[in-house]
Amino acid sequence: MFLDVVDWLKGSGKYSTSVPAMDGALKANDALDAADELYRGTQPDNLVHFGGAAHFSIGNEVLRLDLGEVPRVSSVAGFRADVTCLAAVDEQLAVGLESGEMRILGGRFDGAMIDRVGDRQTKAPVAARFENAQTLLLALGSQNYPPSAWKRDLMEGNASGSVWRIDLSSGKSKLLCDHMAFPYGIDLVSGGAIFVSESWRHRIVDISSERPRVVVDDLPFYPARIAATSGGDVLVCGFAPRRQLVEFILREKQFLRRMMSDIPERYWMAPALSSGRDYWEPFQVGQIRQHGILQPWSPTKSYGLLATMDIAGRFLRSIHCRAGGLRHGITSAIESGSQIIMTSKGGGMVLAAQAREA
Amino acid sequence: MATIPVIEAIQLTKEYHGTPAVKNVTWSLQPGEVHALLGENGAGKSTFTKMFAGVTAPTSGTLRVSGRTVSFSGPKDAFEAGIAMVFQETNLVPSMTVGQNLFLGEEKTFNLLRPLYIRSEKVFQSLNFDVDPWAVVSTLGSAKKQMVEIARAVLKDVKVIIFDEPTATLAPEEKGHFFALVNHLRLRGVSVIFISHALEEALSISDRITVLRDGELVASGLVTDFNRDSIIRAMVGRELSVELHQKRSKVRLAGKKMLSVKNVSMGRMVRNTSFSIYAGQITGIFGLVGSGRSETAKIIAGAYKRNAFYGGEINFLGRQVRFRMPRPGVKSGIVYVTEDRKVEGFFEQMSIGENLYMSLMAADLDRSWLVDKREMLELASKWFKQLNIKTLDSASKVIELSGGNQQKVVIAAALVKEPKLIIFDEPTRGVDVGAIADIHKLIHSLADKGMGIVVISSYLPEILNLSDRILVSRSGRVVEEFAASEATEDNIMVAAVH
C-alpha cells in the first residue's frame, strides 16, 4: 500500500506513463503505404483461408476474395448483426457476431449456434481458431461490452476476457484462460502452443499449459489478431500505437471518467482505428519547435502496423503506416503464397504486401 | 598594405610518438576576427591550438605571432605574447574561491581579499555572468567554472583568446551572454579562435571557418563560403583505412530484447529518451558532446539517478529496474565501461591482478571477504592472455601501462563480472592503433557469444565499423536509428547536428 502511494507520487511502477520505443525490427517505415489495395469498403475485419480462397468479414457480411490479375470479391453469407470474427477448417466456417453468438456454417455442424460457454453468456467473440474439425478455440474479448464497444472496455481498464475450448460435437466447453485483458487474437503455432494476443496488456501469451507463459510483453502497440505463417513465424497486427498521453489518461481516473461521460466516444483521447478525418479531433503529429527540438504536442491515436515475430517472441521485420497515412487499424492478416493479405479496418481496405517485406 | 596576421602557422606539425596529430597545417588568424575551428573529435583542433597557447611545442614548422617567429617554452610565454586559452576542462584550483582563481599568479606578499572580490564582481557584471566571487570553485557547476575561465582570459587583456568548446556546458541564456562577449572582444580588436561542435553557433558568430580532419586542414574560408552541409562534408569525408574504418559487410540479427529504456529523463541532460537494446548485437550510440549519451548509459548502470518524479522506466530482461548505485546493476548483469578510465576506471597504484580482483569482489556480494592471492594471480594471468595485455612485469601498476593496455585492464575488470549487457563508453579514446584493433575484435567476439553490447563513441568510423545498429543521440534523447546497411557518415552526422 505504502509503495503504491510512492509509485503514484513518483509516476513509477504501475503508475508510470512511459511507453517502449518502436525501434529495432519495429522501426517505423512507410512500407504499408506501398502495399497493393485489393478491396475498398467500410471496416473490413477478420481474414481467414476458406475453400481455397481468402474470406473476410465486413459489416454483417462475409466476402470471398479471389486473387488474380484483377481481385474479385463476392458475398458468401449475410447476418443480422455485424460479424466480429471468423474461423475456418475444411468446409466449416465459424462466424462470431456482435450480438454475442457464434454460428457454424457448412460441414458436420452446419447451423450450430453457440451462445453460452461454461456458466456464462458469450458477449464479445473477437477471435476464433479451429483446433480440429470438431474443436473450436474461442476468444471472448470482454464480459462487459460487445466487440464494438472495445474502446470503452479499454478505457475502463477491464480484464474480463477469456479463452475457451469448445467441443462442437458434445457442446461442452473448457475454460483455458480467464481474466484476460481483451484477447484479440488467437492461433496455434508450431510445437502445439496456443498464442493469444492480450491487447490491453500489450502482450502475447502462450496458454497451452496450465499457467500462461508470456511470449513477448511491453509491446509499443495494441496487438490485434495474430496468424501463424508456413515458415513457423507469427504475423502480429497492431491497430493503434501506445502513447504517453493515453497511458497518462488511463491512470487519471477522474479525468478519464469526465472524458467518457462528457465527450463523444470518437473524440476521446484513446487508441483509435482511424483518426484525423474530423476537424473536431485533436490534430495528429502537431508539433512545435523549442530550442531547436521538435516537440510533439498531440500524439497519434491510430496507426498501421504488421509485424512478423518468431515463436521465441523476437520481432523480425515490420511494415508500417505512420500517423500521416490512411492505412491504419490493421486488425487481421493471413499468408497467401508469397503475399501477406491484411485488413486495414481503420482505412477501409484489404491490402497485400510481399511476405518477405512483412 | 596587407595586415599582418596576429597568428600565423606555417607547415605546423605535431607528432606524438611518431603519430602525427597535426600535419603540415598552414593557417593564419587576422586581428579582430572570430575564427571557428571545426572538426570531429580527434581531428586535431585542440592540439593545433595548444601549440599557440604554449601548452605543447610543434614537432616541426614555424609559428609567428604578429609577424615575429616565436617558440614558446610554456603557457606563460604564450601569455606574455598575448595569447590565452580557455580550456574545455577547467584549470581552476578547486579549493580556492572564484575571486582568488581570477587573480591567481598576481598575489603579493600581503593580500587584501575585499578589493579582490570587488574587482571580481565588477568583471563578472561587465560580462553579464552570474557568478559569486566568494564561492569556492569546487562548489560550482561546470557552466559556472567555464564562466570563471572565460572571465580570467578576458581580464588579462590579451590579443588572442582561444575558446575550446566554450558553450558545451552553458545554458541558452548564458550562451547569449557569451556571444555578446565575443562580439565585444571583436570590437576591441581581440582575435578569437572558437573551437566548437555546434555548427549553428560557428556559422552565426564567426568571420572565418577552418575545418580540420585527421590533423590536416581540409577547408578554410569566409563564413559565407560555408553552409551546414558543406561543413559536415568537410568534417567527415576522410579516406578510411581498410582495417579500422571499413563499414560492416555482415550484420548480426537482433536477439531478444534485453533492455528497454522508456521515456527516461534526468534534468536537462537526458530528456524523455526511449530505445531498446537487443542481445547478440552491437548497438552503436553516436552523438556530439552534450548529447546525453554517457549520462543515459550511466543512468542505466546506476551511476546516475534519473528524475525522481516521472523519470521514466528501465526494463532489463523483462524486469523493471532502478539502480541507485552501480553495484546492484552489476549484480543484475549490466556493466558500464567508463570513458574516463583514469578517474573512474581503475586504481592506478594497484597491480592489474589487484584491480581485476577488486572488480570481481564488487560484482558478487556473496563472496568471501577474505582475499585469495592465488585466485588473484590466476585471474590476472587468464586476462593477460585473453586480452593480450602487454607489460614488462605482471605485478606492474596500472599507471605504468600504456593507454591501450590500461583500457584493456578496464575492459577485463568489466568482463570478470560476467555481464549480460556491457556498455562501452568511448572504448578506444586515447588508445593506439594496435590496441584499437584488439579491442574491436574483443567487442565483436562478445557480441557473437550473445551478449548485449552498447558502444558509445564520438568517432564515426568506429561506430560504422562496430555497429549492427546505430542510434543517434541529440539534445538528451535518441533521435534517430539506422540499420548498419543504411548508415553513412553523412546521414549520422546530419541526424546528430540538425
Side-chain angles (χ1 to χ4, degrees):
Chain A
M1 180 62 191
F2 173 71
L3 289 176
D4 228 32
V5 173
V6 172
D7 276 348
W8 175 75
L9 274 170
K10 293 174 75 173
S12 57
K14 68 176 183 181
Y15 294 97
S16 167
T17 57
S18 58
V19 293
M22 236 189 232
D23 63 0
L26 293 176
K27 187 189 165 191
N29 55 47
D30 295 314
L32 205 45
D33 293 309
D36 296 332
E37 184 184 317
L38 304 177
Y39 174 79
R40 189 178 278 248
T42 309
Q43 298 206 326
D45 189 15
N46 202 171
L47 270 159
V48 285
H49 277 297
F50 178 58
H55 286 63
F56 63 94
S57 59
I58 183 164
N60 63 352
E61 276 187 294
V62 176
L63 302 186
R64 178 188 167 105
L65 174 68
D66 288 295
L67 299 171
E69 286 279 300
V70 181
R72 280 188 315 169
V73 168
S74 51
S75 180
V76 173
F79 303 88
R80 277 189 293 180
D82 281 354
V83 178
T84 55
C85 68
L86 296 175
V89 66
D90 305 331
E91 316 90 61
Q92 217 163 249
L93 185 69
V95 182
L97 300 174
E98 174 75 12
S99 48
E101 77 262 24
M102 289 292 294
R103 289 182 180 275
I104 310 293
L105 304 180
R108 233 175 95 200
F109 306 103
D110 186 29
M113 188 190 80
I114 304 155
D115 59 358
R116 286 195 78 80
V117 280
D119 56 350
R120 57 185 93 164
Q121 193 86 27
T122 54
K123 188 116 190 174
V126 288
R129 169 74 158 88
F130 276 105
E131 223 171 6
N132 53 52
Q134 63 174 32
T135 314
L136 182 72
L137 297 172
L138 175 64
L140 300 175
S142 169
Q143 247 344 88
N144 304 321
Y145 296 109
S148 60
W150 62 267
K151 204 180 281 187
R152 191 167 284 276
D153 194 66
L154 163 64
M155 299 312 272
E156 285 181 1
N158 293 328
S160 59
S162 52
V163 177
W164 298 80
R165 178 179 276 132
I166 302 165
D167 186 339
L168 295 175
S169 51
S170 66
K172 284 185 182 160
S173 52
K174 185 187 171 197
L175 179 65
L176 296 181
C177 199
D178 204 2
H179 306 297
M180 299 191 88
F182 211 81
Y184 203 164
I186 186 166
D187 207 352
L188 298 166
V189 298
S190 53
I194 304 170
F195 278 15
V196 175
S197 58
E198 215 181 342
S199 203
W200 304 166
R201 289 196 181 118
H202 334 104
R203 65 182 190 177
I204 293 169
V205 290
D206 173 10
I207 58 162
S208 55
S209 53
E210 241 354 78
R211 277 186 66 189
R213 175 182 67 90
V214 176
V215 179
V216 59
D217 66 350
D218 208 16
L219 295 171
F221 57 90
Y222 291 90
R225 296 194 180 84
I226 53 178
T229 67
S230 55
D233 297 325
V234 182
L235 297 171
V236 182
C237 302
F239 71 91
R242 284 175 70 191
R243 293 288 180 233
Q244 270 190 291
L245 180 58
V246 174
E247 299 286 321
F248 179 71
I249 289 171
L250 285 169
R251 278 150 187 74
E252 291 294 313
K253 297 297 178 198
Q254 206 177 350
F255 176 90
L256 184 64
R257 274 195 296 274
R258 281 200 61 191
M259 181 180 81
M260 290 172 71
S261 63
D262 297 356
I263 298 174
E265 191 176 311
R266 64 183 181 281
Y267 301 135
W268 289 356
M269 184 41 79
L273 292 168
S274 66
S275 53
R277 295 175 186 186
D278 182 339
Y279 73 92
W280 285 103
E281 274 182 32
F283 284 115
Q284 292 210 358
V285 291
Q287 55 195 15
I288 48 171
R289 187 179 280 270
Q290 278 183 341
H291 302 306
I293 304 289
L294 287 171
Q295 310 270 12
W297 55 269
S298 180
T300 50
K301 293 198 293 179
S302 62
Y303 197 78
L305 170 67
L306 177 69
T308 306
M309 180 188 86
D310 67 12
I311 55 166
R314 279 180 303 202
F315 282 98
L316 306 172
R317 53 197 171 267
S318 60
I319 54 174
H320 302 241
C321 175
R322 291 195 253 211
L326 292 171
R327 295 166 168 194
H328 289 186
I330 304 293
T331 54
S332 182
I334 52 169
E335 189 183 38
S336 177
S338 63
Q339 286 187 314
I340 303 289
I341 304 172
M342 69 206 102
T343 51
S344 161
K345 193 172 180 182
M349 295 173 216
V350 179
L351 304 164
Q354 288 304 309
R356 64 176 182 277
E357 290 168 7
Chain B
M1 202 179 82
T3 356
I4 300 171
V6 63
I7 295 181
E8 202 176 359
I10 302 160
Q11 300 280 307
L12 214 59
T13 297
K14 175 68 191 174
E15 290 181 357
Y16 289 105
H17 309 294
T19 310
V22 174
K23 289 180 243 173
N24 292 326
V25 175
T26 297
W27 176 88
S28 67
L29 177 73
Q30 300 301 322
E33 84 165 338
V34 178
H35 199 125
L37 261 187
L38 306 174
E40 282 189 283
N41 293 3
K45 308 177 298 269
S46 296
T47 309
F48 185 53
T49 49
K50 276 177 184 170
M51 288 188 276
F52 308 153
V55 178
T56 54
T59 310
S60 65
T62 309
L63 183 62
R64 286 190 190 137
V65 174
S66 302
R68 200 165 49 86
T69 304
V70 292
S71 170
F72 299 138
S73 56
K76 203 170 172 223
D77 288 355
F79 196 72
E80 275 162 13
I83 303 169
M85 183 162 185
V86 177
F87 290 94
Q88 210 172 330
E89 305 91 10
T90 59
N91 282 334
L92 304 172
V93 182
S95 57
M96 293 169 88
T97 63
V98 169
Q100 287 167 332
N101 266 281
L102 218 51
F103 296 97
L104 199 66
E106 291 180 22
E107 296 87 356
K108 294 167 191 138
T109 316
F110 296 104
N111 296 286
L112 285 173
L113 288 176
R114 195 177 146 72
L116 182 139
Y117 287 128
I118 292 170
R119 276 177 70 197
S120 308
E121 185 81 71
K122 280 182 184 167
V123 173
F124 287 121
Q125 278 182 5
S126 71
L127 296 174
N128 248 331
F129 285 171
D130 176 26
V131 184
D132 176 9
W134 283 268
V136 178
V137 166
S138 60
T139 63
L140 300 181
S142 51
K144 299 253 171 170
K145 282 183 189 159
Q146 188 78 42
M147 287 180 196
V148 180
E149 281 273 15
I150 293 168
R152 197 157 72 164
V154 173
L155 192 66
K156 308 295 181 189
D157 201 22
V158 290
K159 282 189 285 188
V160 178
I161 301 182
I162 305 164
F163 290 109
D164 192 356
E165 293 275 357
T167 55
T169 54
L170 300 185
E173 194 189 335
E174 292 160 351
K175 279 184 194 172
H177 293 325
F178 173 75
F179 295 142
L181 166 71
V182 169
N183 277 325
H184 179 64
L185 292 170
R186 178 170 23 204
L187 291 174
R188 278 171 45 188
V190 176
S191 305
V192 172
I193 301 175
F194 177 72
I195 302 174
S196 180
H197 278 301
L199 308 187
E200 293 285 4
E201 290 173 6
L203 285 165
S204 68
I205 72 159
S206 55
D207 301 307
R208 280 204 297 160
I209 288 177
T210 292
V211 182
L212 292 181
R213 190 171 70 219
D214 290 345
E216 289 178 78
L217 191 151
V218 287
S220 188
L222 292 172
V223 70
T224 46
D225 300 338
F226 289 94
N227 57 32
R228 202 161 26 186
D229 291 339
S230 64
I231 294 172
I232 292 171
R233 228 179 358 259
M235 280 167 72
V236 301
R238 72 170 61 72
E239 283 186 38
L240 307 171
S241 77
V242 173
E243 191 191 348
L244 286 177
H245 303 142
Q246 70 180 352
K247 211 173 147 181
R248 301 275 315 286
S249 53
K250 201 175 160 203
V251 175
R252 294 177 198 88
L253 288 175
K256 203 139 189 169
K257 192 191 272 192
M258 289 187 97
L259 181 82
S260 177
V261 173
K262 301 188 285 179
N263 308 107
V264 165
S265 297
M266 185 188 73
R268 302 167 72 109
M269 288 309 294
V270 180
R271 298 195 281 195
N272 203 28
T273 191
S274 299
F275 59 92
S276 315
I277 302 295
Y278 301 88
Q281 214 184 27
I282 301 174
T283 304
I285 303 184
F286 179 80
L288 300 177
V289 173
S291 62
R293 315 157 305 173
S294 300
E295 288 79 4
T296 309
K298 286 182 176 178
I299 293 170
I300 293 166
Y304 285 174
K305 287 178 190 167
R306 56 189 191 259
N307 288 354
F309 298 98
Y310 290 92
E313 264 181 78
I314 296 173
N315 283 35
F316 180 57
L317 298 176
R319 197 167 59 89
Q320 203 180 114
V321 294
R322 190 187 188 103
F323 304 125
R324 285 169 178 81
M325 56 178 85
R327 201 171 192 183
V330 168
K331 216 178 170 192
S332 299
I334 300 178
V335 169
Y336 169 76
V337 179
T338 178
E339 62 178 326
D340 192 351
R341 59 176 171 266
K342 287 200 170 125
V343 176
E344 300 170 350
F346 49 69
F347 298 96
E348 57 185 26
Q349 293 299 329
M350 287 186 175
S351 71
I352 300 164
E354 283 166 341
N355 265 283
L356 299 184
Y357 197 73
M358 290 275 276
S359 185
L360 188 66
M361 287 170 82
D364 192 350
L365 300 172
D366 303 328
R367 282 183 69 81
S368 159
W369 51 272
L370 288 170
V371 174
D372 185 343
K373 282 272 182 191
R374 206 181 58 187
E375 193 185 355
M376 189 189 294
L377 290 173
E378 280 170 8
L379 200 65
S381 120
K382 176 186 163 192
W383 288 100
F384 258 62
K385 277 185 216 140
Q386 208 155 328
L387 292 186
N388 194 21
I389 298 172
K390 294 184 187 90
T391 171
L392 293 172
D393 178 3
S394 61
S396 300
K397 290 174 183 170
V398 178
I399 191 78
E400 293 162 359
L401 304 180
S402 70
N405 286 306
Q406 284 179 351
Q407 186 67 9
K408 285 180 186 174
V409 173
V410 176
I411 293 172
L415 293 176
V416 294
K417 295 167 185 163
E418 295 176 4
K420 298 178 185 103
L421 172 70
I422 184 160
I423 304 168
F424 293 98
D425 197 351
E426 303 286 1
T428 58
R429 177 182 279 175
V431 166
D432 60 277
V433 178
I436 291 176
D438 284 348
I439 292 169
H440 282 191
K441 214 165 125 187
L442 171 76
I443 292 173
H444 279 303
S445 71
L446 294 174
D448 289 337
K449 283 179 195 157
M451 202 183 277
I453 308 280
V454 177
V455 175
I456 299 172
S457 178
S458 313
Y459 193 49
L460 270 174
E462 178 166 73
I463 287 282
L464 287 169
N465 173 255
L466 283 174
S467 312
D468 300 303
R469 173 174 168 255
I470 296 161
L471 303 175
V472 182
S473 174
R474 174 164 48 91
S475 303
R477 60 162 67 172
V478 169
V479 292
E480 189 60 273
E481 179 190 2
F482 296 105
S485 56
E486 60 185 9
T488 63
E489 292 200 3
D490 281 357
N491 60 20
I492 293 174
M493 194 53 121
V494 165
V497 297
H498 278 66

